[in-house]
Amino acid sequence: MTLPSNFVSAIYKDPGIERYRGNPFIEALTPIMSVQQIKTRLTGEIKYNPQDVFSNARERAHEVAALLDDFFQPIANHLQLEEKISIMIRGGYVGRNLADGSLNTHMQNGYERIMSGELDNFRFAQTNSTAKSLSLIGCSGSGKSTTINRILATYPQVIYHEQHNFIQLSYLKIECPHDGSLKSLCLNFFRELDRVLHTNYEDKYAKKRHSTEVLLALMSQAATQKAIGILVIDEIQRLSQRRSGGKEKMLEFFVALVNVIGVPVVMVGTPKARPIFELELQSGRRSAGFGSLFWQPMRAEKPSKDRKTGELRKTEWIAFSDKLWRYQWLLKRDETLSEDIRECWYDLSQGVLDIVVKLFVLAQLRAIATGVERITVNLLKQVYQDELKPVHPMLAALRSGDVELIAKYSDLQLVDIDKKVLDLRQKIDELKAKQDKEQPFQNNEQAMRLFNLLLAMDCDSQILPPLIERAFKDYPNLTVRELMPIVLDWYEKPVKSKTNKKQKNVQQTNWHTLDSDDMRFKFSQAKKGDLYKNLSYRDELFDLPGWIKQIG
């Protein structure tokens, strides 16, 4: 039998726990993972080559934009969620064993519900449900959906049990409909079921004028027939917008799914949905809950000292920002993240993971587009003002700590991020076109690469062009690596011309593109009248107080 590409044949492994042994549904799942294995499976894969920093601006823009999709760093919240889902899936299958006939009992009860149209109806009273429910609440951008998708992806979704000629669906994820109707939710369920299993449930049930109660019973029966391991219902806060009476009916259905049908359910939403979760938690018919997870934005706590070693322990925010800081494709990048930038980064993003990454990506693109080629406090603030306006109310609410305001603005999202990235790419194209006109070795990518490599080694950009042109002319067959020591040798020899070189004449509007140690660059970054405060003795200022103290 040829299986569809998204199906896998069951391979049974000892689950290691007596309670799970002898259940084909559990033995066919991915084995329970260690913490290190979870981190490895969840972490996003970034292909970072330090040499790409010296690629042209357009190529670097592609590398930077890829961070939006590829960067994912597991934190404590993610590991906790993975553990709960792992327990819920396996625990839910304990009461639905394919080998001992308990699944058939559930299906017979489901048939009784369809025929009667009542969710409470059943033939066999022994349905021992071991399913649990979980509520996950967090602001938009806290990574709820992304994390759940990554966790679910560690399981094979459709498993074919050849010995029993049975198809198992380990998980199903659907979204609450915008109109909030029960019927739309049922149709979303059948539509997703059809997409995954290549069935025709939607055609079969949507065209008939079934009542909502019958549709709910059919949905429950389908969940049992396909042995769904866990049902994830995302965007649950939309329930607050639905038609009157829908919320209570939906909650009753969730209770039935967990307690009667035996399918574990994860409900995901923003703080706006918190009253609904609380109503659900208060339901008298609910008895198998697995609690709620409230995801707060990451905190910027101060690092603590290890009492034994005296070394500083990195906080989650410091470890996360340090990891992300590695992925820069900027010519004048700072290798170490300064505390000023880290503090500003946190204040602007409030530790909301999605905003942290988007701000970092947009700042890099802006740094390339403007020629600044490094991330500064001023640049972060400018990007925040220009590109993140849609989420300013939510971030302001988080800064205030006002629970009501946070709930009010918790749904705000940066929906047009792709457009912002494209706009910045267009500016980068314009910058590259301008550079092509200005550079003496235009259209020679290798020469430009050598130029950027030498710039990164603190060579003077005014001296390099004629040396590079001469190198490519005298040694046309050598590689960039072979040409580099030759150009460096020429660069070091003409000491006289180097010391007598004229000061680079740069308009004040472009001072922000100069090297980090250039006084004009420091002037461009300082607030008006604050330059003196930012300078330090012995570096930029003569240490007059120290000198007076020394001579008495």
Side-chain angles (χ1 to χ4, degrees):
M1 176 180 176
T2 305
L3 297 175
S5 59
N6 62 325
F7 285 42
V8 298
S9 291
I11 299 174
Y12 305 104
K13 293 182 180 176
D14 184 356
I17 295 174
E18 190 57 38
R19 187 169 181 250
Y20 298 155
R21 286 196 178 100
N23 189 324
F25 290 146
I26 301 175
E27 293 180 344
L29 294 175
T30 306
I32 297 171
M33 294 184 284
S34 66
V35 172
Q36 190 54 47
Q37 286 173 324
I38 297 167
K39 285 182 178 177
T40 303
R41 294 288 295 271
L42 296 188
T43 301
E45 185 181 352
I46 310 286
K47 294 181 179 176
Y48 182 79
N49 185 343
Q51 290 187 356
D52 292 339
V53 171
F54 306 105
S55 303
N56 67 52
R58 294 194 76 233
E59 290 172 353
R60 286 187 287 147
H62 281 265
E63 302 273 14
V64 174
L67 282 177
L68 293 172
D69 299 320
D70 299 340
F71 183 80
F72 187 87
Q73 179 64 25
I75 59 176
N77 281 346
H78 303 154
L79 302 181
Q80 186 186 28
L81 179 63
E82 193 283 336
E83 185 179 26
K84 283 184 177 284
I85 287 179
S86 172
I87 293 173
M88 288 173 72
I89 290 182
R90 290 168 174 80
Y93 278 133
V94 168
R96 295 178 291 162
N97 194 334
L98 185 61
D100 67 5
S102 57
L103 181 73
N104 295 333
T105 305
H106 280 279
M107 285 198 280
Q108 182 60 43
N109 282 342
Y111 175 73
E112 295 290 329
R113 293 184 198 102
I114 293 172
M115 297 307 291
S116 64
E118 295 178 10
L119 285 175
D120 293 334
N121 246 4
F122 56 86
R123 175 179 291 257
F124 300 104
Q126 48 60 287
T127 49
N128 181 27
S129 173
T130 51
K132 292 176 169 58
S133 70
L134 173 71
S135 306
L136 175 60
I137 304 170
C139 289
S140 292
S142 57
K144 304 182 297 298
S145 301
T146 304
T147 309
I148 281 185
N149 288 341
R150 284 183 176 269
I151 291 171
L152 293 180
T154 62
Y155 294 92
Q157 187 174 19
V158 188
I159 304 169
Y160 176 62
H161 296 263
E162 188 174 3
Q163 186 180 345
H164 304 276
N165 192 25
F166 191 90
I167 291 172
Q168 170 191 2
L169 195 58
S170 62
Y171 63 87
L172 191 73
K173 183 169 176 279
I174 60 174
E175 287 192 358
C176 255
H178 286 281
D179 66 3
S181 71
L182 289 168
K183 191 166 185 176
S184 295
L185 178 67
C186 293
L187 295 180
N188 279 1
F189 175 86
F190 291 125
R191 193 172 298 128
E192 185 62 15
L193 211 56
D194 289 343
R195 189 189 69 76
V196 176
L197 297 177
H198 316 289
T199 50
N200 62 343
Y201 280 109
E202 189 180 6
D203 286 343
K204 191 175 174 183
Y205 298 139
K207 291 178 181 176
K208 295 181 180 177
R209 294 185 177 181
H210 287 308
S211 68
T212 305
E213 291 295 328
V214 173
L215 278 175
L216 291 174
L218 290 168
M219 182 176 164
S220 305
Q221 181 67 347
T224 307
Q225 284 176 340
K226 300 304 175 189
I228 295 178
I230 195 166
L231 177 64
V232 179
I233 304 176
D234 203 355
E235 308 290 356
I236 202 81
Q237 72 279 359
R238 291 176 186 164
L239 282 167
S240 61
Q241 303 168 4
R242 58 197 55 227
R243 294 179 288 229
S244 61
K247 184 173 71 176
E248 287 74 16
K249 285 185 179 178
M250 189 71 82
L251 290 175
E252 286 298 314
F253 174 68
F254 293 149
V255 171
L257 271 181
V258 178
N259 289 348
V260 181
I261 314 301
V263 176
V265 180
V266 177
M267 291 176 282
V268 186
T270 66
K272 191 179 280 187
R274 194 164 175 164
I276 302 168
F277 291 130
E278 287 171 352
L279 179 64
E280 198 269 343
L281 287 168
Q282 292 164 5
S283 171
R285 295 176 56 192
R286 185 177 178 285
S287 60
F290 206 36
S292 298
L293 292 177
F294 296 92
W295 279 9
Q296 304 284 348
M298 203 182 293
R299 291 182 177 179
E301 295 168 327
K302 299 289 181 187
S304 59
K305 266 190 178 180
D306 188 308
R307 290 183 178 179
K308 292 183 179 177
T309 64
E311 294 179 354
L312 285 178
R313 291 174 178 161
K314 279 189 176 182
T315 64
E316 203 163 51
W317 162 244
I318 291 177
F320 186 90
S321 51
D322 278 348
K323 181 75 179 286
L324 190 51
W325 189 254
R326 296 178 197 170
Y327 301 116
Q328 291 186 69
W329 286 265
L330 302 174
L331 290 170
K332 297 176 182 174
R333 55 182 274 175
D334 293 316
E335 297 300 333
T336 306
L337 175 57
S338 71
E339 288 308 309
D340 286 346
I341 294 177
R342 197 197 309 272
E343 191 177 318
C344 174
W345 195 2
Y346 182 83
D347 180 58
L348 297 177
S349 65
Q350 286 299 297
V352 179
L353 297 181
D354 190 48
I355 304 297
V356 172
V357 178
K358 285 188 168 78
L359 182 60
F360 182 67
V361 167
L362 293 172
Q364 280 202 65
L365 293 175
R366 175 75 71 93
I368 296 173
T370 57
V372 176
E373 293 290 353
R374 87 212 83 184
I375 294 176
T376 64
V377 168
N378 284 351
L379 184 78
L380 283 176
K381 288 180 178 175
Q382 199 59 51
V383 171
Y384 175 79
Q385 287 299 329
D386 297 343
E387 313 291 355
L388 302 184
K389 277 182 183 168
V391 291
H392 281 191
M394 184 181 88
L395 296 170
L398 288 171
R399 281 189 202 97
S400 72
D402 187 325
V403 177
E404 296 297 324
L405 274 181
I406 292 172
K408 183 179 178 183
Y409 294 114
S410 61
D411 292 351
L412 295 179
Q413 293 180 330
L414 273 174
V415 292
D416 55 347
I417 189 69
D418 292 341
K419 183 176 179 301
K420 295 179 190 301
V421 170
L422 286 175
D423 288 345
L424 285 167
R425 279 185 185 171
Q426 189 176 353
K427 288 181 182 175
I428 290 171
D429 288 344
E430 293 168 3
L431 174 74
K432 186 169 189 308
K434 186 181 173 186
Q435 284 177 340
D436 287 344
K437 283 184 182 177
E438 293 174 350
Q439 293 298 340
F441 30 75
Q442 58 176 310
N443 298 325
N444 187 339
E445 289 288 339
Q446 293 304 309
M448 195 65 217
R449 190 178 184 84
L450 180 57
F451 177 75
N452 288 331
L453 279 167
L454 293 168
L455 271 187
M457 297 172 69
D458 292 331
C459 292
D460 191 299
S461 61
Q462 296 296 300
I463 298 175
L464 285 176
L467 300 180
I468 292 174
E469 281 186 337
R470 180 184 158 192
F472 274 88
K473 184 180 177 183
D474 293 353
Y475 306 100
N477 297 323
L478 296 187
T479 64
V480 169
R481 181 184 292 178
E482 292 166 330
L483 287 172
M484 185 179 286
I486 296 172
V487 176
L488 278 174
D489 187 47
W490 292 344
Y491 181 87
E492 296 295 339
K493 279 182 180 175
V495 177
K496 188 175 178 181
S497 61
K498 184 180 174 183
T499 53
N500 293 337
K501 64 181 170 52
K502 291 182 179 179
Q503 183 67 33
K504 187 179 178 181
N505 186 19
V506 180
Q507 291 185 349
Q508 187 171 347
T509 52
N510 292 326
W511 284 5
H512 64 283
T513 65
L514 293 169
D515 292 337
S516 300
D517 59 353
D518 194 300
M519 191 65 76
R520 291 166 293 178
F521 170 75
K522 293 180 179 179
F523 179 85
S524 71
Q525 298 298 302
K527 290 181 182 176
K528 192 174 181 181
D530 281 357
L531 176 62
Y532 186 80
K533 296 179 186 173
N534 298 336
L535 302 181
S536 57
Y537 287 119
R538 293 185 181 177
D539 291 331
E540 296 94 354
L541 296 175
F542 175 66
D543 186 9
L544 185 60
W547 179 72
I548 293 174
K549 191 176 178 181
Q550 188 179 6
I551 64 172

